[in-house]
Amino acid sequence: MSEFKTLDREEPNYFGAGPALLPTSVLQEAAYDLINYEQQGLGIGEISHRSKPAIKVIDETKANLAKVLNIPDTHEVFFMQGGGTSGFSSIVYNLIANYAKRHPGKVGKAAYAVTGSWSKKSAEEAVRLGFDVDIVVNTKANKFDDIPPYSEWKAIDKENTAYLYVCDNETVNGNEFKDIPTSEYLPEGVELVADMSSNILSKKVDVSKYGVIMAGAQKNIGLAGLTIYIVKKSLIEQPTDDELKSYGIPRVPIAFHFPSVVANNSAYNTIPIFTCHILKLVTARLIEKGGIEYIQKVNEEKAQLLYAALTKYPNFYKLPIVNPKVRSNMNVVFTLPKDLEDKFIQEATAKNLTGLKGHRSVGGMRASIYNAVTLESVQLLVAFVTEFAEANQ
Amino acid sequence: MSEFKTLDREEPNYFGAGPALLPTSVLQEAAYDLINYEQQGLGIGEISHRSKPAIKVIDETKANLAKVLNIPDTHEVFFMQGGGTSGFSSIVYNLIANYAKRHPGKVGKAAYAVTGSWSKKSAEEAVRLGFDVDIVVNTKANKFDDIPPYSEWKAIDKENTAYLYVCDNETVNGNEFKDIPTSEYLPEGVELVADMSSNILSKKVDVSKYGVIMAGAQKNIGLAGLTIYIVKKSLIEQPTDDELKSYGIPRVPIAFHFPSVVANNSAYNTIPIFTCHILKLVTARLIEKGGIEYIQKVNEEKAQLLYAALTKYPNFYKLPIVNPKVRSNMNVVFTLPKDLEDKFIQEATAKNLTGLKGHRSVGGMRASIYNAVTLESVQLLVAFVTEFAEANQ
C-alpha cells in the first residue's frame, strides 16, 4: 500500500450506465467501515450476517427505503443476491407459485410488456423456464423507439394472468414509463410488476399500485451484488413444495424463495452486508438532502437541460426515442454522425467527461445521469455537446 | 465523515465463522480502490463490469486461483453470485443437465454424503428441486460426530449417477475430509463435487480429481456475495433448453447456467467487481507469502496447537468430533460445562478474543481459524483456554 494514496478524488464527471457513480462521501465513509466499523475493531464485511450490527444495517436500510419511497405497511422490503437477471427468474417462479396459492392449484400465466432489451430478456427467461407468457406489447420491430399508449396494448387475459411485467426504465434503449396502467387497462387482481433497476429512487413512485418492485442496486444506488425487492405481502405466501409438484409448477431455488427470504429478514443465506451498508449510506444521504422530492427535481432538471441541448441540433444529434414523453430521465441515448463518434469521445475525455459510449448492442452515445451525477456534471456535458455541434455540424 | 477516523486498526483476534476476518492490509488497499482505482478517478465498484479494468480484475483473480491451487487446463474457473446456498441449486441443475448431454437424454441421479448441516441442506435442496438423490452416508443420528470410512458408505449406482457430492469442511459441526474417495469407492465416470466454502485455499488440493469445486468467498478468502466455481470443462456443456424439456429436466435460472456464465467470462450478469477485487488482493497476498504450502503449514500448526490445548483437559473441554483424524483445521468446535459458557465468553472478550460462540443450532464454542487468523491469535487463544481450564476445572 502506497503511503501517498489518499481517500480523496477529484469529483468525476462520469456518465457510465452501470455499475455507476456513487457519492464520494459515501465511498469514503464505507472505506473506513470496511476496516473498523463503529470502532468495534472489525470491518462491516467481516462480521456474521446474523450479528446485531449486521441486522441493524439490514433493518436501517429497509427503514431508509421505506421512508424515501413512502412504502406502505402492505408491502415487504427484502434483499437477495443475483442482480436483475436473477430477478427475471425469481419473479416468475415466485409469483406463479403464489397465484396457485391464491387460486388453489391454478397455474397462472404472465403478461410481459417488451419495450427494450431488459424487458425482452425477462420475458424470454420466463418462457425458458417453462411458464406461460403473453406478450402484450412488443416494440422491437421499431427498435424500442417508443412506449405505445396502453390503449394499443393487447388486452390482458384477466381470468388467468398473475401479473403484468414492465421494465420501468430501459437502460440500453433510453425509454422510461412516465405513468402506470390505469384500471382501464390493468384488470383488478392482475398485479403490476416493475423492474426499476436503473431508476429506483430517482422519482416518486406510488408503491401501493405495485405488486412487486425489483431493482439491482448497481446503477442508481449502490454496488453490484444486492437486489432490492418491494413486494406486496399478499404475494409472498406459496403452496408447499409437494402441492407445487402436484400442480406441475417448478420450485424456485431456495435462495430465491420469497417466503424463506422474508422469514429470515433477508439473511436466509449470507447477505453481502458491506454492499447493504453502502445502500444504507446512500439512502441516508438522500434523506438528509431532502428525499425523493429533492432528487426528482434535480433529475428532471438534469434531463431537461441535456435533452434541450441535444434537440437544439436536430440535424446533428438524433434521439432514437421518438416520443419525447417517454424519453428516460436516467439514460439519455443519442447518436451523431458515425464518422465523428471517435472525435466526440476523445474530446469529451479530454474534458474529463467519461462513460459516454452507448451500449454495444445499439452503438451511439449514452449519458447516464443517475442520482449521483451532479447538475454541475450535466452542465459541463451540455456545454460540451453544444460546442461540439457548433464546431462540427 | 469524522476527520479523526483512520484506516488503521489494532490486529483483531477474531474467530468468527463467517463472514470472517480478512487481512488488514487487503482491506486497506481495497478501501483506497473503492474511491480511486489505479488513479483513474473512479472507484473499482463504479465501473462497467465489461470495461477493461474490470475484465483485468476478473482475469487476474482467475489466474491467482489457478496458480495457488495449481488448477489444470482441464478445468474452468468462474464466479457467480448467491453463495453456497445458490451453489446447492446450481450444481444439481447444471450437472444433471450435463449428464443428459454426455448420456443423450438420460436423467441421471446424484449421490450425497451427509456429514453435517451444510451437506444436509444441499441434499435437501436437490430433492426439493425434484431431482433423484441417493444418500450414500448420513451421520446425522450421531450428530455428525465422524466421517465414516468410504468402505462403510452405501455403494454408488454407477450406471445412473452423475456425481457424488461432499461438503469438504462442515463449518457448523467441525469435521473435515482429509482424503478423497479412491477408485475403490468412486466409480469411474461419477464426478466428485465438493463444497469448499469454508476451507478453500487452506490446504493443497488435487483439483484434477474433482468435477466441481464450489466455494462461497466469505469465510476463508473474501467478502460475501461471490462464489467460486472450478469446474471440469467436460461438465459444462448442456443440451438445448428444448432437449431438456423433452427429457423432463428442469432448466436452471439463466444467471446460474454454467455455459452462459463461462461464455461471458463470469459477466453474463453484473459480477460484484469490488468483491472480486478483494478476492484478487487476498490471493495475490497469499502467493506473495508463499502460496498454498506456506498457508497449509501455518493452518496445520494453528489447529494442532489448539486441539492439543483442548484435549489436554478431556474432563473439561469436549470435542464433539470423536475421530481426531477428521477434526476440521478451520472450525474447532468444542464444549465446556454449560454453566461456565457465559464466563468463558466474558473472559475471552476481556482479552479481545472474540467470535467464539458456537453455531446457534449446536451451541457450545467454535474457534474458526481461517487463513486470515494469525498464529499469534491462536497462541493467545491457546493460553486463554489453558488458563481457563486450570482455573475452573
Side-chain angles (χ1 to χ4, degrees):
Chain A
M1 191 180 58
S2 156
E3 51 188 306
F4 302 111
K5 284 186 176 179
T6 74
L7 289 183
D8 283 324
R9 69 179 183 189
E10 209 178 309
E11 267 316 300
N13 302 302
Y14 179 65
F15 304 94
L21 199 65
L22 289 170
T24 304
S25 64
V26 162
L27 294 175
Q28 286 167 334
E29 191 163 349
Y32 288 111
D33 296 340
L34 190 61
I35 292 156
N36 193 350
Y37 183 62
E38 293 189 335
Q39 306 306 315
Q40 301 288 303
L42 281 174
I44 184 67
E46 298 172 291
I47 59 171
S48 165
H49 53 300
R50 297 209 178 85
S51 65
K52 276 182 201 158
I55 293 168
K56 196 163 164 252
V57 166
I58 297 169
D59 287 342
E60 285 183 14
T61 311
K62 286 166 65 172
N64 287 352
L65 285 167
K67 185 166 183 179
V68 174
L69 285 172
N70 195 22
I71 300 174
D73 280 350
T74 45
H75 285 62
E76 281 283 351
V77 181
F78 57 93
F79 309 108
M80 302 198 303
Q81 295 185 41
T85 300
S86 295
F88 301 164
S89 321
S90 75
I91 283 170
V92 63
Y93 277 119
N94 281 285
L95 293 194
I96 296 299
N98 167 268
Y99 189 80
K101 177 81 187 178
R102 291 185 294 121
H103 307 79
K106 188 166 171 182
V107 183
K109 50 185 186 174
Y112 280 76
V114 176
T115 58
S117 310
W118 290 110
S119 48
K120 181 170 171 282
K121 281 197 180 196
S122 191
E124 285 168 355
E125 173 67 355
V127 170
R128 189 183 153 268
L129 293 175
F131 294 96
D132 195 359
V133 168
D134 264 347
I135 306 292
V136 291
V137 66
N138 186 347
T139 57
K140 184 169 190 313
N142 298 324
K143 296 186 179 170
F144 306 119
D145 67 347
D146 196 0
I147 301 176
Y150 298 108
S151 57
E152 294 175 15
W153 294 19
K154 187 182 148 188
I156 289 178
D157 172 5
K158 69 177 175 186
E159 297 304 324
N160 300 293
T161 302
Y163 63 88
L164 166 66
Y165 181 103
V166 300
C167 177
D168 202 60
N169 184 71
E170 286 282 1
T171 325
V172 172
N173 312 94
N175 63 56
E176 183 173 15
F177 280 81
K178 298 296 167 69
D179 59 8
I180 57 172
T182 59
S183 57
E184 277 163 52
Y185 178 69
L186 192 68
E188 214 188 303
V190 178
E191 300 289 343
L192 181 60
V193 173
D195 173 3
M196 293 194 186
S197 291
S198 50
N199 66 349
I200 189 153
L201 302 198
S202 73
K203 62 177 182 186
K204 211 167 168 177
V205 162
D206 182 352
V207 175
S208 73
K209 307 282 190 207
Y210 292 83
V212 175
I213 293 172
M214 179 274 288
Q218 75 273 10
K219 292 179 186 289
N220 210 31
I221 51 175
L223 291 179
L226 200 73
T227 317
I228 300 163
Y229 288 78
I230 303 166
V231 179
K232 203 185 272 185
K233 286 176 180 166
S234 59
L235 300 185
I236 288 169
E237 215 187 352
Q238 292 190 15
T240 64
D241 286 338
D242 284 345
E243 285 168 345
L244 285 175
K245 194 175 175 183
S246 74
Y247 307 154
I249 297 176
R251 276 135 288 174
V252 62
I254 189 71
F256 298 96
H257 183 242
F258 288 178
S260 298
V261 176
V262 170
N264 290 277
N265 194 25
S266 302
Y268 176 80
N269 64 341
T270 313
I271 181 171
I273 200 73
F274 178 71
T275 311
C276 188
H277 180 56
I278 294 241
L279 181 53
K280 184 189 91 177
L281 296 176
V282 167
T283 47
R285 182 176 178 274
L286 178 55
I287 291 169
E288 225 178 83
K289 288 221 158 202
I292 209 80
E293 285 80 8
Y294 156 79
I295 200 73
Q296 176 164 352
K297 199 162 156 275
V298 178
N299 284 335
E300 283 169 356
E301 186 177 354
K302 280 152 49 184
Q304 277 161 13
L305 276 177
L306 186 51
Y307 281 118
L310 294 166
T311 50
K312 204 175 152 196
Y313 301 94
N315 296 320
F316 191 72
Y317 296 118
K318 307 281 181 194
L319 296 169
I321 302 301
V322 294
N323 177 0
K325 282 189 192 150
V326 302
R327 283 178 189 150
S328 168
N329 281 349
M330 294 281 101
N331 308 101
V332 177
V333 173
F334 60 99
T335 62
L336 67 163
K338 263 229 153 325
D339 56 329
L340 290 171
E341 284 186 351
D342 287 348
K343 191 179 178 194
F344 182 90
I345 292 290
Q346 275 162 24
E347 292 187 11
T349 306
K351 290 180 186 292
N352 282 321
L353 303 165
T354 58
L356 288 164
K357 263 199 189 160
H359 190 268
R360 58 201 169 125
S361 66
V362 295
M365 301 295 150
R366 172 174 53 177
S368 297
I369 49 177
Y370 297 126
N371 283 9
V373 177
T374 60
L375 180 60
E376 291 68 34
S377 284
V378 174
Q379 286 164 335
L380 290 171
L381 180 60
V382 162
F384 172 70
V385 298
T386 304
E387 185 187 303
F388 192 83
E390 291 289 346
N392 296 282
Q393 69 182 346
Chain B
M1 190 179 59
S2 155
E3 52 188 304
F4 303 111
K5 284 187 176 180
T6 75
L7 290 183
D8 283 323
R9 68 179 183 189
E10 210 178 308
E11 266 317 300
N13 302 301
Y14 178 64
F15 304 95
L21 200 65
L22 289 170
T24 304
S25 64
V26 162
L27 294 175
Q28 287 168 333
E29 190 163 349
Y32 288 111
D33 296 340
L34 191 60
I35 292 156
N36 194 349
Y37 183 62
E38 293 188 336
Q39 305 306 315
Q40 301 288 302
L42 281 174
I44 184 68
E46 298 172 291
I47 59 171
S48 164
H49 53 300
R50 296 209 179 86
S51 65
K52 276 182 201 158
I55 294 168
K56 195 162 166 255
V57 166
I58 297 170
D59 287 341
E60 286 184 13
T61 311
K62 287 166 64 173
N64 287 353
L65 285 167
K67 186 166 184 178
V68 174
L69 284 172
N70 195 22
I71 300 175
D73 280 348
T74 46
H75 285 61
E76 281 283 352
V77 181
F78 57 94
F79 309 108
M80 302 199 302
Q81 294 185 43
T85 300
S86 295
F88 300 164
S89 322
S90 75
I91 283 170
V92 64
Y93 278 119
N94 281 286
L95 294 194
I96 296 300
N98 167 267
Y99 189 81
K101 178 80 187 178
R102 291 186 293 120
H103 307 78
K106 188 166 171 184
V107 184
K109 51 185 186 174
Y112 279 77
V114 176
T115 59
S117 310
W118 291 110
S119 48
K120 180 170 171 283
K121 281 197 180 197
S122 190
E124 285 167 355
E125 173 67 355
V127 171
R128 188 183 154 269
L129 292 175
F131 294 96
D132 194 0
V133 168
D134 263 347
I135 306 292
V136 291
V137 65
N138 186 348
T139 57
K140 184 170 191 309
N142 297 324
K143 294 185 178 169
F144 306 120
D145 67 347
D146 195 359
I147 300 176
Y150 298 107
S151 57
E152 294 176 14
W153 293 19
K154 186 181 149 188
I156 289 177
D157 172 6
K158 69 177 173 186
E159 298 304 326
N160 300 294
T161 302
Y163 64 90
L164 166 66
Y165 180 103
V166 300
C167 177
D168 202 60
N169 184 72
E170 288 281 1
T171 325
V172 172
N173 312 95
N175 63 57
E176 183 174 15
F177 280 81
K178 298 297 168 70
D179 60 8
I180 57 172
T182 59
S183 57
E184 277 163 51
Y185 178 70
L186 191 67
E188 215 189 301
V190 178
E191 301 288 343
L192 181 60
V193 173
D195 173 3
M196 294 195 186
S197 292
S198 50
N199 66 350
I200 189 151
L201 302 197
S202 73
K203 62 178 182 185
K204 213 169 165 171
V205 162
D206 182 351
V207 174
S208 73
K209 306 283 191 206
Y210 292 83
V212 175
I213 293 172
M214 179 274 288
Q218 74 273 10
K219 292 178 184 292
N220 210 32
I221 51 175
L223 291 180
L226 199 74
T227 317
I228 300 163
Y229 288 78
I230 303 166
V231 178
K232 204 184 270 185
K233 287 175 181 168
S234 58
L235 300 185
I236 289 169
E237 216 186 351
Q238 292 190 14
T240 64
D241 286 338
D242 283 345
E243 285 168 345
L244 285 176
K245 193 174 176 185
S246 74
Y247 307 154
I249 296 175
R251 276 135 289 172
V252 62
I254 189 70
F256 298 95
H257 182 243
F258 287 178
S260 298
V261 176
V262 170
N264 289 279
N265 194 26
S266 301
Y268 176 81
N269 63 341
T270 313
I271 181 171
I273 201 73
F274 177 71
T275 311
C276 188
H277 179 57
I278 294 242
L279 181 53
K280 183 190 92 178
L281 296 175
V282 167
T283 47
R285 183 176 178 274
L286 179 54
I287 291 169
E288 223 179 84
K289 288 220 157 202
I292 208 80
E293 286 80 7
Y294 156 79
I295 199 73
Q296 177 164 353
K297 200 162 155 277
V298 178
N299 285 335
E300 283 170 356
E301 186 177 353
K302 280 153 46 184
Q304 276 159 15
L305 275 176
L306 186 50
Y307 281 118
L310 294 166
T311 51
K312 205 175 151 195
Y313 301 94
N315 297 321
F316 191 73
Y317 296 118
K318 306 282 182 194
L319 296 169
I321 302 301
V322 294
N323 177 359
K325 282 188 194 152
V326 302
R327 283 177 190 151
S328 168
N329 281 350
M330 295 281 101
N331 308 100
V332 177
V333 173
F334 60 99
T335 62
L336 67 162
K338 263 231 152 324
D339 56 331
L340 290 171
E341 283 186 350
D342 287 349
K343 191 178 178 194
F344 182 90
I345 291 291
Q346 275 162 23
E347 293 187 9
T349 305
K351 290 180 185 291
N352 282 321
L353 303 165
T354 58
L356 288 163
K357 264 198 188 160
H359 190 268
R360 58 203 168 123
S361 66
V362 296
M365 301 295 150
R366 171 172 56 176
S368 296
I369 48 178
Y370 297 127
N371 283 8
V373 177
T374 61
L375 181 60
E376 292 68 35
S377 283
V378 173
Q379 286 165 335
L380 290 172
L381 179 60
V382 161
F384 172 69
V385 300
T386 304
E387 185 188 302
F388 192 83
E390 291 289 346
N392 296 284
Q393 71 182 343

Short mmCIF file of all heavy atoms in Angstrom, two decimals, chain A residues 7-40:
data_model
loop_
_atom_site.label_atom_id
_atom_site.label_comp_id
_atom_site.label_asym_id
_atom_site.label_seq_id
_atom_site.Cartn_x
_atom_site.Cartn_y
_atom_site.Cartn_z
N LEU A 7 -7.83 9.17 0.45
CA LEU A 7 -9.21 8.81 0.18
C LEU A 7 -9.93 9.92 -0.60
O LEU A 7 -11.14 9.90 -0.74
CB LEU A 7 -9.95 8.51 1.47
CG LEU A 7 -9.56 7.21 2.19
CD1 LEU A 7 -10.43 7.00 3.42
CD2 LEU A 7 -9.69 5.99 1.28
N ASP A 8 -9.19 10.88 -1.08
CA ASP A 8 -9.80 11.96 -1.86
C ASP A 8 -9.78 11.65 -3.35
O ASP A 8 -8.99 10.85 -3.81
CB ASP A 8 -9.06 13.28 -1.62
CG ASP A 8 -9.45 13.87 -0.28
OD1 ASP A 8 -10.63 13.73 0.09
OD2 ASP A 8 -8.57 14.44 0.38
N ARG A 9 -10.66 12.31 -4.06
CA ARG A 9 -10.59 12.26 -5.51
C ARG A 9 -11.22 13.54 -6.07
O ARG A 9 -12.06 14.16 -5.40
CB ARG A 9 -11.31 11.03 -6.06
CG ARG A 9 -12.82 11.04 -5.89
CD ARG A 9 -13.43 9.78 -6.49
NE ARG A 9 -14.89 9.82 -6.40
CZ ARG A 9 -15.66 8.76 -6.69
NH1 ARG A 9 -15.11 7.61 -7.04
NH2 ARG A 9 -16.97 8.85 -6.61
N GLU A 10 -10.81 13.90 -7.26
CA GLU A 10 -11.47 14.99 -7.95
C GLU A 10 -12.89 14.52 -8.27
O GLU A 10 -13.08 13.37 -8.64
CB GLU A 10 -10.71 15.23 -9.26
CG GLU A 10 -10.76 16.64 -9.76
CD GLU A 10 -9.92 16.77 -11.03
OE1 GLU A 10 -8.74 16.35 -11.01
OE2 GLU A 10 -10.46 17.25 -12.03
N GLU A 11 -13.89 15.39 -8.16
CA GLU A 11 -15.25 14.96 -8.45
C GLU A 11 -15.35 14.49 -9.91
O GLU A 11 -15.09 15.24 -10.84
CB GLU A 11 -16.26 16.09 -8.20
CG GLU A 11 -16.85 16.07 -6.80
CD GLU A 11 -17.27 14.68 -6.33
OE1 GLU A 11 -18.13 14.05 -6.96
OE2 GLU A 11 -16.70 14.19 -5.32
N PRO A 12 -15.73 13.22 -10.12
CA PRO A 12 -15.78 12.71 -11.50
C PRO A 12 -17.00 13.27 -12.25
O PRO A 12 -18.02 13.58 -11.63
CB PRO A 12 -15.96 11.19 -11.31
CG PRO A 12 -15.83 10.91 -9.86
CD PRO A 12 -16.10 12.19 -9.14
N ASN A 13 -16.85 13.41 -13.57
CA ASN A 13 -17.99 13.67 -14.45
C ASN A 13 -18.19 12.41 -15.27
O ASN A 13 -17.75 12.31 -16.41
CB ASN A 13 -17.72 14.87 -15.35
CG ASN A 13 -17.40 16.10 -14.55
OD1 ASN A 13 -18.21 16.53 -13.73
ND2 ASN A 13 -16.23 16.67 -14.74
N TYR A 14 -18.82 11.45 -14.65
CA TYR A 14 -18.85 10.09 -15.21
C TYR A 14 -20.29 9.71 -15.52
O TYR A 14 -21.16 9.78 -14.64
CB TYR A 14 -18.22 9.13 -14.20
CG TYR A 14 -18.23 7.68 -14.65
CD1 TYR A 14 -17.52 7.28 -15.77
CD2 TYR A 14 -18.97 6.72 -13.96
CE1 TYR A 14 -17.52 5.96 -16.19
CE2 TYR A 14 -18.98 5.40 -14.36
CZ TYR A 14 -18.26 5.02 -15.48
OH TYR A 14 -18.27 3.70 -15.89
N PHE A 15 -20.51 9.28 -16.77
CA PHE A 15 -21.87 9.02 -17.24
C PHE A 15 -22.08 7.54 -17.60
O PHE A 15 -22.92 7.22 -18.44
CB PHE A 15 -22.16 9.92 -18.45
CG PHE A 15 -21.97 11.39 -18.16
CD1 PHE A 15 -20.76 12.03 -18.44
CD2 PHE A 15 -22.98 12.12 -17.55
CE1 PHE A 15 -20.58 13.37 -18.15
CE2 PHE A 15 -22.81 13.47 -17.26
CZ PHE A 15 -21.60 14.10 -17.55
N GLY A 16 -21.30 6.67 -17.00
CA GLY A 16 -21.43 5.24 -17.26
C GLY A 16 -22.78 4.70 -16.82
O GLY A 16 -23.41 5.22 -15.90
N ALA A 17 -23.22 3.62 -17.50
CA ALA A 17 -24.59 3.13 -17.32
C ALA A 17 -24.74 2.14 -16.18
O ALA A 17 -25.86 1.82 -15.76
CB ALA A 17 -25.07 2.49 -18.61
N GLY A 18 -23.63 1.64 -15.67
CA GLY A 18 -23.74 0.74 -14.54
C GLY A 18 -22.81 -0.44 -14.67
O GLY A 18 -22.67 -0.94 -15.78
N PRO A 19 -22.19 -0.87 -13.56
CA PRO A 19 -22.12 -0.17 -12.30
C PRO A 19 -21.74 1.29 -12.50
O PRO A 19 -20.97 1.60 -13.39
CB PRO A 19 -21.04 -0.92 -11.53
CG PRO A 19 -21.10 -2.32 -12.07
CD PRO A 19 -21.47 -2.16 -13.50
N ALA A 20 -22.30 2.14 -11.67
CA ALA A 20 -22.24 3.58 -11.94
C ALA A 20 -21.72 4.35 -10.74
O ALA A 20 -21.42 3.79 -9.69
CB ALA A 20 -23.62 4.06 -12.36
N LEU A 21 -21.65 5.64 -10.96
CA LEU A 21 -21.11 6.56 -9.96
C LEU A 21 -21.86 6.46 -8.62
O LEU A 21 -23.07 6.28 -8.58
CB LEU A 21 -21.28 7.97 -10.52
CG LEU A 21 -20.42 9.07 -9.92
CD1 LEU A 21 -18.94 8.80 -10.21
CD2 LEU A 21 -20.81 10.43 -10.50
N LEU A 22 -21.09 6.62 -7.54
CA LEU A 22 -21.68 6.75 -6.21
C LEU A 22 -21.14 8.02 -5.58
O LEU A 22 -20.07 8.50 -5.97
CB LEU A 22 -21.35 5.52 -5.36
CG LEU A 22 -22.08 4.24 -5.79
CD1 LEU A 22 -21.52 3.02 -5.07
CD2 LEU A 22 -23.58 4.37 -5.51
N PRO A 23 -21.86 8.56 -4.59
CA PRO A 23 -21.36 9.79 -3.97
C PRO A 23 -20.00 9.55 -3.29
O PRO A 23 -19.83 8.57 -2.56
CB PRO A 23 -22.43 10.12 -2.92
CG PRO A 23 -23.66 9.40 -3.37
CD PRO A 23 -23.16 8.16 -4.05
N THR A 24 -19.05 10.44 -3.54
CA THR A 24 -17.71 10.28 -2.97
C THR A 24 -17.78 10.16 -1.45
O THR A 24 -17.10 9.33 -0.85
CB THR A 24 -16.83 11.46 -3.39
OG1 THR A 24 -16.82 11.54 -4.82
CG2 THR A 24 -15.40 11.29 -2.90
N SER A 25 -18.63 10.96 -0.83
CA SER A 25 -18.69 10.95 0.65
C SER A 25 -19.16 9.60 1.18
O SER A 25 -18.70 9.14 2.24
CB SER A 25 -19.62 12.06 1.15
OG SER A 25 -20.95 11.82 0.72
N VAL A 26 -20.03 8.93 0.45
CA VAL A 26 -20.49 7.60 0.85
C VAL A 26 -19.35 6.60 0.75
O VAL A 26 -19.12 5.79 1.65
CB VAL A 26 -21.68 7.14 -0.04
CG1 VAL A 26 -21.89 5.64 0.06
CG2 VAL A 26 -22.95 7.89 0.35
N LEU A 27 -18.61 6.66 -0.35
CA LEU A 27 -17.49 5.73 -0.53
C LEU A 27 -16.42 5.94 0.54
O LEU A 27 -15.82 4.99 1.03
CB LEU A 27 -16.90 5.88 -1.93
CG LEU A 27 -17.84 5.46 -3.08
CD1 LEU A 27 -17.21 5.78 -4.43
CD2 LEU A 27 -18.19 3.98 -3.00
N GLN A 28 -16.22 7.20 0.90
CA GLN A 28 -15.21 7.49 1.93
C GLN A 28 -15.64 6.90 3.27
O GLN A 28 -14.84 6.25 3.95
CB GLN A 28 -15.01 9.00 2.05
CG GLN A 28 -14.23 9.57 0.86
CD GLN A 28 -14.27 11.09 0.79
OE1 GLN A 28 -15.20 11.73 1.29
NE2 GLN A 28 -13.26 11.68 0.16
N GLU A 29 -16.87 7.10 3.63
CA GLU A 29 -17.35 6.53 4.90
C GLU A 29 -17.27 5.00 4.86
O GLU A 29 -16.82 4.36 5.81
CB GLU A 29 -18.79 7.00 5.17
CG GLU A 29 -19.23 6.67 6.57
CD GLU A 29 -20.47 7.45 7.01
OE1 GLU A 29 -20.88 8.40 6.32
OE2 GLU A 29 -21.02 7.09 8.07
N ALA A 30 -17.68 4.42 3.73
CA ALA A 30 -17.65 2.96 3.59
C ALA A 30 -16.22 2.43 3.66
O ALA A 30 -15.97 1.34 4.19
CB ALA A 30 -18.30 2.55 2.27
N ALA A 31 -15.28 3.22 3.15
CA ALA A 31 -13.87 2.78 3.18
C ALA A 31 -13.40 2.59 4.62
O ALA A 31 -12.74 1.59 4.94
CB ALA A 31 -13.00 3.81 2.45
N TYR A 32 -13.73 3.54 5.48
CA TYR A 32 -13.36 3.37 6.89
C TYR A 32 -14.09 2.18 7.51
O TYR A 32 -13.52 1.40 8.26
CB TYR A 32 -13.71 4.64 7.68
CG TYR A 32 -12.79 5.80 7.35
CD1 TYR A 32 -13.26 6.92 6.67
CD2 TYR A 32 -11.45 5.77 7.72
CE1 TYR A 32 -12.42 7.98 6.36
CE2 TYR A 32 -10.60 6.82 7.41
CZ TYR A 32 -11.09 7.93 6.73
OH TYR A 32 -10.26 8.96 6.42
N ASP A 33 -15.37 2.05 7.17
CA ASP A 33 -16.19 0.99 7.78
C ASP A 33 -15.76 -0.40 7.33
O ASP A 33 -16.06 -1.39 7.98
CB ASP A 33 -17.67 1.22 7.45
CG ASP A 33 -18.19 2.52 8.07
OD1 ASP A 33 -17.56 3.01 9.02
OD2 ASP A 33 -19.21 3.04 7.58
N LEU A 34 -15.08 -0.45 6.19
CA LEU A 34 -14.57 -1.73 5.70
C LEU A 34 -13.50 -2.28 6.63
O LEU A 34 -13.26 -3.48 6.70
CB LEU A 34 -13.99 -1.50 4.29
CG LEU A 34 -13.60 -2.69 3.44
CD1 LEU A 34 -14.80 -3.59 3.15
CD2 LEU A 34 -12.98 -2.22 2.12
N ILE A 35 -12.86 -1.39 7.36
CA ILE A 35 -11.72 -1.78 8.21
C ILE A 35 -12.08 -1.79 9.68
O ILE A 35 -11.69 -2.68 10.43
CB ILE A 35 -10.54 -0.82 7.93
CG1 ILE A 35 -10.04 -1.09 6.51
CG2 ILE A 35 -9.41 -1.02 8.95
CD1 ILE A 35 -9.34 0.06 5.88
N ASN A 36 -12.87 -0.82 10.10
CA ASN A 36 -13.18 -0.71 11.53
C ASN A 36 -14.55 -0.07 11.67
O ASN A 36 -14.70 1.14 11.64
CB ASN A 36 -12.09 0.13 12.22
CG ASN A 36 -12.17 0.01 13.73
OD1 ASN A 36 -13.13 -0.54 14.29
ND2 ASN A 36 -11.16 0.52 14.41
N TYR A 37 -15.55 -0.92 11.84
CA TYR A 37 -16.94 -0.45 11.83
C TYR A 37 -17.38 -0.07 13.24
O TYR A 37 -17.29 -0.90 14.16
CB TYR A 37 -17.86 -1.55 11.27
CG TYR A 37 -19.30 -1.12 11.17
CD1 TYR A 37 -19.67 -0.06 10.36
CD2 TYR A 37 -20.29 -1.79 11.88
CE1 TYR A 37 -20.99 0.34 10.26
CE2 TYR A 37 -21.62 -1.40 11.79
CZ TYR A 37 -21.96 -0.33 10.98
OH TYR A 37 -23.27 0.05 10.89
N GLU A 38 -17.82 1.14 13.40
CA GLU A 38 -18.30 1.64 14.69
C GLU A 38 -17.29 1.37 15.81
O GLU A 38 -17.65 1.04 16.93
CB GLU A 38 -19.67 1.04 15.03
CG GLU A 38 -20.75 1.53 14.07
CD GLU A 38 -22.15 1.15 14.48
OE1 GLU A 38 -22.31 0.15 15.20
OE2 GLU A 38 -23.10 1.85 14.04
N GLN A 39 -16.02 1.51 15.46
CA GLN A 39 -14.92 1.32 16.44
C GLN A 39 -15.00 -0.03 17.16
O GLN A 39 -14.57 -0.16 18.30
CB GLN A 39 -14.92 2.48 17.46
CG GLN A 39 -14.85 3.87 16.82
CD GLN A 39 -13.68 4.03 15.85
OE1 GLN A 39 -12.56 3.63 16.14
NE2 GLN A 39 -13.95 4.58 14.66
N GLN A 40 -15.54 -1.03 16.46
CA GLN A 40 -15.62 -2.38 17.05
C GLN A 40 -14.34 -3.18 16.79
O GLN A 40 -14.19 -4.29 17.27
CB GLN A 40 -16.80 -3.16 16.45
CG GLN A 40 -18.16 -2.52 16.64
CD GLN A 40 -18.63 -2.61 18.07
OE1 GLN A 40 -18.73 -3.67 18.64
NE2 GLN A 40 -18.89 -1.46 18.68
#
